[in-house]
Amino acid sequence: MLDDLKLWVRLLATAARGRMQYRVDLFFQILAMALTTAADFLMVWVLISACGPTIGWTLAEASLLYGVVLVPFGIVQFINAGFERFHDLVRRGQVDLLLLRPRPLLVLVAGEDLPVRQIGRLAQAVAVFAWALWMIPLSMGDCLLLGWAMAWGVVLYLSFDVIRAASAFWTVEGSEMWNVLTYGGSMAAIWPAEAYRPVLRTVLLTIVPVAAVGWLPVAQVLGKDHGFPAWVPWLAPTSGLVLSGLGLWLWTIGLRRYASSGS
Amino acid sequence: MISAYFEPFRAAALVEVQYRAAALAGIVTQFAFGWIRMEIFVAVLVKASASAAAQPLALSLRQTTDYIWLGQAFLMLLFTWRVPALREVVRSGALGVELLRPVDCYGFWYAQSLARVLVPCALRAVPMLAICLATGLLHPPVSIEAGLWTAISLAMAFLLSTALAMLVSTAALWLVAGDGIAALVPGFLWSLSGVIVPLAFLPDWLRTVAEALPFAGLMDTPLRLYVGAITLDQAAGPLLRQALWTVALIALGWAAVQRGLRQAEIAGG
């Protein structure tokens, strides 16, 4: 286990070195990624300033939610890109090569890539989050709850990636549909879920529980009415556990039936 | 002479038509994103218009949801990085063959690129529009004239998108700062074309900036015409801006290709 962890870090370091060969390029790529992903914050900012107090969340409060959702998402996008490319690896028959190595495939795929440009996504989320923390006074318990939720956020988004990758064992078609789970999920999660109509809110609390790890704890911390007993926001983030279990199970049975692309 | 440019268009279009499974996946994805975007805006606008201290909204609820669904249908207008024709040509050394053709290189590539922008976008947009109209998610254009002008503006958006994509991919190859510019364009494009937030909702100063840039012509202009947020007597300005940017970007792209071709060295192999 520890060995695998070491290997994973080593693989990522190697991938990063490869990515950093073109410095100027890289700088602009990071900047571009920050710009592109900051468009989501533009939406939050514009909607709150255009429609004012009717929403019930101030810009600082919405920024706190933004950070709690997108910092974990940014971390996962940064360290877990190998899974996003897994469909391609299957299609090109490169999984066969990885399988020859006497290490768990999961570790090898996780260490496949470290897209340094994703620092841009993470940086803008961290900046917004830091501003929100500076604006909103939080107690020790509040910070604990947010930290707890964000740790589970990482688990949740990791699970999405594993599920997405595992689907490649059945079909390599239409891998972009999984963007709905990852990018779509995080986009839906940055807006306060109490504003949504029941169908979407229920989906976001159960099937794609991004609101359970984002909105519920943040609403609790800010003293908003989320309609659940006070212990629920502590328990809800662990729903990531269910999805990571599902992800690992799918991965295992998928790998067992994997029969190469035959190329 | 026309057929010298129509043939590359047709050939590239025939290739693109093959990717129907990708189009289906794209439609499902774009519907899901449209749904999420719609929910966010509905949540905000319903509350904002119901409150006592309601300020008048920049776009009504119906205009906003129409705008969002149209934006999702034509999302691929913004995928300018999908036109790698020039990179491929130069990197593979096929440039030598391209130069032998007795036609203008830019025109030839433009025709190819236009097909690569138009066909995948249409493969997604046509079914999406049909479903959205049939289910009432999207309303028909406010008037026949508005529909007509939207069509013209959309046609221009395709020409503009192609010109922008080509300029970016050319600049990336041949200008010193080109790589940086090429990387940054999608960032601006995403924020300032209207796809994330309809430009009408932006604060005045930012909206003025956004409308002056070419990105508004890719999406915001046709969409606002469709939903009637620009009345037809106000339409001349935005349409003219769209046309000017199209011409300007084509001219710039042509100049960049000419300059690049003068410098190009063709390696054997």
Side-chain angles (χ1 to χ4, degrees):
Chain A
M1 186 68 191
L2 191 66
D3 245 24
D4 288 337
L5 209 63
K6 266 194 209 148
L7 175 67
W8 177 59
V9 172
R10 196 136 167 207
L11 284 172
L12 285 184
T14 314
R17 263 206 304 284
R19 290 275 185 173
M20 294 206 294
Q21 293 308 307
Y22 307 90
R23 292 288 155 100
V24 180
D25 222 31
L26 194 68
F27 170 75
F28 280 108
Q29 283 181 0
I30 292 174
L31 198 63
M33 184 53 90
L35 259 176
T36 313
T37 50
D40 288 334
F41 186 70
L42 180 76
M43 180 186 75
V44 171
W45 172 59
V46 162
L47 285 181
I48 286 188
S49 51
C51 302
T54 49
I55 298 155
W57 287 56
T58 64
L59 184 60
E61 291 172 334
S63 302
L64 190 69
L65 176 59
Y66 187 89
V68 168
V69 172
L70 291 186
V71 170
F73 185 66
I75 292 173
V76 172
Q77 290 299 306
F78 181 44
I79 61 169
N80 213 34
F83 288 99
E84 217 172 84
R85 287 176 45 188
F86 189 65
H87 281 80
D88 275 335
L89 296 184
V90 172
R91 186 180 298 138
R92 282 180 291 158
Q94 286 178 344
V95 175
D96 303 5
L97 288 178
L98 291 180
L99 281 171
L100 286 177
R101 300 183 192 158
R103 291 303 183 101
L105 184 64
L106 205 61
V107 177
L108 296 173
V109 175
E112 181 67 25
D113 193 11
L114 190 74
V116 182
R117 67 173 189 284
Q118 294 285 355
I119 289 174
R121 178 195 300 276
L122 187 56
Q124 61 91 21
V126 168
V128 173
F129 188 49
W131 179 73
L133 288 177
W134 185 62
M135 293 294 288
I136 303 171
L138 293 172
S139 73
M140 204 56 206
D142 293 341
C143 293
L144 210 63
L145 176 54
L146 292 186
W148 169 254
M150 288 167 85
W152 281 109
V154 172
V155 173
L156 179 68
Y157 292 118
L158 282 174
S159 322
F160 286 165
D161 281 344
V162 174
I163 293 172
R164 172 201 192 125
S167 77
F169 290 124
W170 282 270
T171 172
V172 293
E173 294 292 331
S175 65
E176 68 173 292
M177 271 195 275
W178 293 98
N179 287 345
V180 174
L181 210 59
T182 51
Y183 297 101
S186 69
M187 188 173 79
I190 60 173
W191 196 251
E194 84 253 14
Y196 289 137
R197 290 183 280 193
V199 179
L200 182 59
R201 187 167 56 233
T202 311
V203 170
L204 296 180
L205 284 171
T206 53
I207 306 169
V208 190
V210 285
V213 299
W215 165 73
L216 260 182
V218 173
Q220 169 100 341
V221 162
L222 296 174
K224 311 275 179 202
D225 178 25
H226 50 67
F228 292 95
W231 53 270
V232 173
W234 284 90
L235 188 67
T238 56
S239 53
L241 203 58
V242 179
L243 278 163
S244 58
L246 177 70
L248 289 177
W249 178 67
L250 286 175
W251 181 265
T252 317
I253 59 169
L255 188 55
R256 207 174 297 145
R257 73 188 291 284
Y258 174 70
S260 178
S261 65
S263 55
Chain B
M1 193 57 206
I2 293 295
S3 76
Y5 298 104
F6 180 71
E7 277 308 313
F9 174 85
R10 202 179 66 99
L14 280 176
V15 172
E16 291 296 332
V17 171
Q18 305 309 314
Y19 294 100
R20 281 176 291 242
L24 188 63
I27 289 171
V28 174
T29 312
Q30 281 159 233
F31 258 111
F33 276 92
W35 182 46
I36 296 167
R37 278 189 220 290
M38 181 181 72
E39 288 287 337
I40 293 176
F41 278 85
V42 166
V44 174
L45 297 182
V46 165
K47 267 197 177 174
S49 52
S51 95
Q55 312 146 318
L57 296 166
L59 292 179
S60 72
L61 184 61
R62 172 182 156 154
Q63 283 177 325
T64 308
T65 52
D66 280 1
Y67 188 109
I68 289 171
W69 285 113
L70 274 178
Q72 287 305 117
F74 289 101
L75 189 67
M76 289 198 84
L77 272 174
L78 304 182
F79 289 12
T80 48
W81 55 89
R82 281 190 82 263
V83 178
L86 299 190
R87 271 167 205 264
E88 280 167 16
V89 163
V90 174
R91 296 228 166 104
S92 70
L95 186 63
V97 179
E98 299 278 323
L99 289 176
L100 290 176
R101 296 203 175 94
V103 290
D104 179 64
C105 267
Y106 182 83
F108 188 85
W109 288 333
Y110 188 92
Q112 267 181 344
S113 302
L114 182 62
R116 291 190 182 190
V117 173
L118 182 67
V119 174
C121 191
L123 280 179
R124 288 158 179 76
V126 172
M128 275 194 80
L129 289 179
I131 296 170
C132 285
L133 281 169
T135 52
L137 286 171
L138 175 69
H139 302 89
V142 284
S143 65
I144 293 174
E145 290 85 359
L148 203 66
W149 283 109
T150 306
I152 291 170
S153 182
L154 261 177
M156 212 135 59
F158 279 107
L159 298 177
L160 180 59
S161 174
T162 309
L164 180 66
M166 286 199 49
L167 180 61
V168 166
S169 86
T170 318
L173 286 172
W174 287 318
L175 296 181
V176 181
D179 267 340
I181 298 166
L184 290 181
V185 163
F188 287 110
L189 191 144
W190 213 237
S191 309
L192 300 178
S193 61
V195 67
I196 302 274
V197 198
L199 297 188
F201 285 107
L202 297 183
D204 284 338
W205 64 271
L206 188 56
R207 204 188 61 222
T208 314
V209 173
E211 284 173 352
L213 292 171
F215 312 119
L218 291 178
M219 189 153 272
D220 189 69
T221 309
L223 266 48
R224 261 209 267 185
L225 277 167
Y226 184 96
V227 302
I230 309 176
T231 54
L232 296 178
D233 48 314
Q234 301 164 333
L239 282 170
L240 196 64
R241 243 187 328 241
Q242 211 188 2
L244 283 177
W245 270 118
T246 309
V247 173
L249 293 188
I250 288 177
L252 271 172
W254 184 83
V257 166
Q258 296 311 311
R259 192 194 143 113
L261 289 182
R262 270 203 306 277
Q263 296 169 352
E265 280 177 35
I266 296 167

